[in-house]
Amino acid sequence: MNQYSYKNLEIEIFNDSGFTPGPDNTHTYLAHYYAEGPESYCSSFHGVKIFGGETEMNSCLLYGSGGSAGIYSNSSLLDNNRLVICCGDSLFCLNLPSLELQWNIQADMVTCFEVFKYENDYLVYGELEISRINAEGKIQWSFSGADIFVSMDDEVSFTLQSDHIALVDFQGNKYQVDFDGKLIWDSINYPAH
């Protein structure tokens, strides 16, 4: 679960993977927002609840498509009066405290793992793509490698450096990408000697 304080309110974002349409659910929600794509296929369910003290003030459920995703420390962020959340293959932006959907966009073809604030935009670490999304929810650029950006040997697959993004894919290939989405270096074309 991710938790944030906003003014005098507390926000909780949690994985509600047991949610099914119908009355037999642990949680109920005032609003429901679907990722782009068919509503009949949802792989991730992320609940958002806002509390004033012990009282629930507002809530919504995000339905993500693509690969199933959980809640991780960097899978959401609070940006002034916005809550930005990775859910499945999509990135959702909600206004606070209304939880009104400002926008959502498919930011990866499979799964979005993490989102980071960079200047006035958002950098999304996805399974297949690294993307830069502007504050209006438009993709500025995306970058893909030779394989998925997941490492099987516990090597960190995504790291923000001061002047670039360092990536490692499933095959162990390494990449350096600038913040404009341009490849600076990779180990495929320039292997170490």
Side-chain angles (χ1 to χ4, degrees), residues 14-17 43-46 64-72 75 86-90 110-113:
F14 56 93
N15 189 14
D16 196 357
S17 59
S43 59
S44 299
F45 303 88
H46 293 348
S65 297
S68 181
I71 300 291
Y72 312 104
S75 64
C86 295
C87 184
D89 63 2
S90 296
V110 180
T111 305
C112 298
F113 297 128

Side-chain angles (χ1 to χ4, degrees), residues 69-172:
I71 300 291
Y72 312 104
S73 61
N74 292 316
S75 64
S76 63
L77 61 84
L78 178 64
D79 182 18
N80 296 314
N81 65 335
R82 295 175 159 195
L83 195 57
V84 181
I85 305 168
C86 295
C87 184
D89 63 2
S90 296
L91 190 67
F92 289 80
C93 180
L94 305 172
N95 286 325
L96 292 174
S98 68
L99 292 181
E100 179 182 346
L101 180 65
Q102 186 167 355
W103 51 260
N104 71 309
I105 188 165
Q106 183 183 18
D108 189 84
M109 292 174 57
V110 180
T111 305
C112 298
F113 297 128
E114 297 180 310
V115 59
F116 301 90
K117 179 80 172 167
Y118 179 74
E119 295 178 345
N120 294 320
D121 298 336
Y122 306 106
L123 294 173
V124 179
Y125 162 37
E127 186 171 339
L128 293 176
E129 300 169 283
I130 308 306
S131 302
R132 185 169 177 173
I133 314 291
N134 71 15
E136 289 76 43
K138 305 292 183 211
I139 295 176
Q140 302 303 293
W141 56 259
S142 62
F143 176 85
S144 299
D147 207 336
I148 61 175
F149 293 118
V150 176
S151 173
M152 293 304 288
D153 60 3
D154 294 330
E155 190 169 9
V156 177
S157 295
F158 177 93
T159 308
L160 289 176
Q161 303 292 340
S162 61
D163 61 347
H164 70 276
I165 303 165
L167 304 165
V168 179
D169 72 19
F170 191 76
Q171 298 176 31

